[in-house]
Amino acid sequence: MRDDVTFGPETSAALRNFGEGRTPPPLVRALAEVKLACLRAVQETERRWSPEAFAALEAACGDVASGRRNGLFRLPLFQGGAGTSLNMNMNEVLASLACSFCAGQDLEMRFDPIEDINRHQSTNDVVPTAVTIALYRLLCLAENQVIALQEALVERERQFENLLMEGRTEMQSALPITLGQVFGAWAGAVERDRWRMNKLKERIRTVPLGGTAIGTCFAAPRPYIHAAERALRSVTQLPLCRSQNLPDETAHLDKWGELANGFSLCAINLFKMCGDFLLYTSSMSGEMEHPKVQAGSSIMAAKTNPVLLEHVRGLAVHIQGEAWKVGQYVALGTLQLNSYLPHLCASLLEAGNSLVRAISSFRLDFLGGLRVNATRIERNLAGSLAMMNALGPKLGYHCVKRLYENGEALPASLEELVVLAAEATGKAPEEIRELLSPGSLAGMNGGDA
């Protein structure tokens, strides 16, 4: 096999226009797979090439899809032309590579980037199809991370189901809650993210392959269109399907706005969770301890910074920014095409990869090393107004309010609170202790308390 495989004049022109960059490898792989599916469909319906020539074409597609030729794809996604430069880059590389494979077998074959590699295709159906493949796989990665995070939170929900702590609203003492319920609430938000991502897989799996330039299937024979759809599913092993409204699929990219919103909502939930943990791990609360993963200060030795939480929060903001950009790119479509698909793809790849990184860091690095300070949790609870509020139904709302407004000293321990409540109500201490149990205070007895 020769070593002079390269791209051609159209890619060179695009490099001059848009500068050097790096086409994301997942998109290179996906576009090579689309080309392979299209070439198989052409061969199935037309027998255009000899068996030897077609074997060289298949080998070229496989070689590119493997990642071994990524250095030949140096175009940035920030480009004009709706992805035509990406398509021509792939066409030229595959034609050159297939010729190289033939030469290595002493076969004299020439492949034309347009007449052969791009047969029955347009940039406007093959590039959006490749984008769908790359983003579907990324969505699956993100979904797996969300599932793992939900499971990790549920595990801690069970672990701490009987650890009573101070519940707070508006940064003030409210009512008792178990730490298990706190973790369960976080798990509930992540469960919705999991549900959304599962639904998004169904929403984004349609492709415009076979619609060619504007979704009218111009110059694409019907047998080829059906064969290409079948081949695409076989090559990618993904549940992709040709859109039933190809002009719509070509002109409108709102499904990518929906995916961006899914990524953004997940990031928002992460941001909120990290904010909660920042408070719980702060020296003001001390109810949890952030993992000591690196020095907290270059001058203060006895300090741990919440670097993992800050890292995840920063990524969450970044994800939301990229999602906002996707919405703007969706809106920039005009008439029968949205020419900003490469820009949109860049933002979604950035958002999705950042989300995967954020969840992984949060789950493995932060949650994996998080420590709960049960002693501090009990001390904070005993000395808070939360327990006093919890006894409102027994002491009476006005009694609790009077004690609070008169500046009565808060109990220093749960046992002191038992004594105070017993004196105020005339009930036996044992009965008060039962009222202060996790089952009663945190609503685990159906509210009968």
Side-chain angles (χ1 to χ4, degrees), residues 276 279 332:
D276 290 346
L279 293 172
L332 286 171

Side-chain angles (χ1 to χ4, degrees), residues 268-296:
I268 288 170
N269 280 335
L270 274 177
F271 189 93
K272 194 273 180 183
M273 264 188 287
C274 287
D276 290 346
F277 278 111
L278 281 170
L279 293 172
Y280 284 131
T281 60
S282 71
S283 56
M284 295 174 289
S285 166
E287 294 174 342
M288 301 181 193
E289 295 178 13
H290 187 288
K292 295 176 175 62
V293 292
Q294 63 187 71

Side-chain angles (χ1 to χ4, degrees), residues 198-206 254-255 258:
N198 184 263
K199 293 298 181 182
L200 281 168
K201 289 193 297 184
E202 178 67 24
R203 302 287 285 174
I204 71 168
R205 72 186 185 98
T206 56
D254 54 286
K255 71 178 185 181
E258 194 170 357

Side-chain angles (χ1 to χ4, degrees), residues 205-209 229 241-250:
R205 72 186 185 98
T206 56
V207 297
L209 191 62
E229 182 183 3
C241 68
R242 178 169 43 87
S243 172
Q244 297 303 300
N245 189 337
L246 290 172
D248 168 45
E249 187 80 17
T250 307

Side-chain angles (χ1 to χ4, degrees), residues 62 95 107 134 137 191 202 205 226 232 235 318 344 372 377:
L107 297 173
R137 286 172 172 151
E191 182 181 18
E202 178 67 24
R205 72 186 185 98
H226 292 293
L232 186 68
V235 169
H318 177 60
L344 180 152
V372 171
I377 286 176

Side-chain angles (χ1 to χ4, degrees), residues 66-80:
S66 73
R68 286 191 290 267
R69 304 289 174 171
N70 284 347
L72 294 172
F73 299 91
R74 305 203 300 265
L75 291 173
L77 289 185
F78 297 101
Q79 57 182 258

Side-chain angles (χ1 to χ4, degrees), residues 5-55:
V5 176
T6 186
F7 45 73
E10 291 302 319
T11 305
S12 297
L15 286 169
R16 289 194 300 271
N17 289 331
F18 310 126
E20 289 270 350
R22 180 174 183 259
T23 306
L27 186 59
V28 173
R29 174 193 173 189
L31 189 51
E33 290 172 327
V34 174
K35 291 294 179 180
L36 176 58
C38 292
L39 292 171
R40 284 182 176 176
V42 171
Q43 186 71 349
E44 176 186 331
T45 57
E46 299 177 15
R47 294 293 185 267
R48 178 177 176 82
W49 303 283
S50 68
E52 296 80 9
F54 183 63

Side-chain angles (χ1 to χ4, degrees), residues 125 127-136 139 196 199-209 240-243 245-246 248-263 326-327 329-331 338 341 344 348:
D125 69 332
V127 171
T129 299
V131 167
T132 297
I133 293 168
L135 292 178
Y136 190 98
L139 175 57
R196 274 188 287 264
K199 293 298 181 182
L200 281 168
K201 289 193 297 184
E202 178 67 24
R203 302 287 285 174
I204 71 168
R205 72 186 185 98
T206 56
V207 297
L209 191 62
L240 306 170
C241 68
R242 178 169 43 87
S243 172
N245 189 337
L246 290 172
D248 168 45
E249 187 80 17
T250 307
H252 303 125
L253 302 183
D254 54 286
K255 71 178 185 181
W256 300 126
E258 194 170 357
L259 177 61
N261 287 337
F263 286 162
V326 169
Y329 291 135
V330 170
N338 189 316
L341 178 62
L344 180 152
L348 274 174

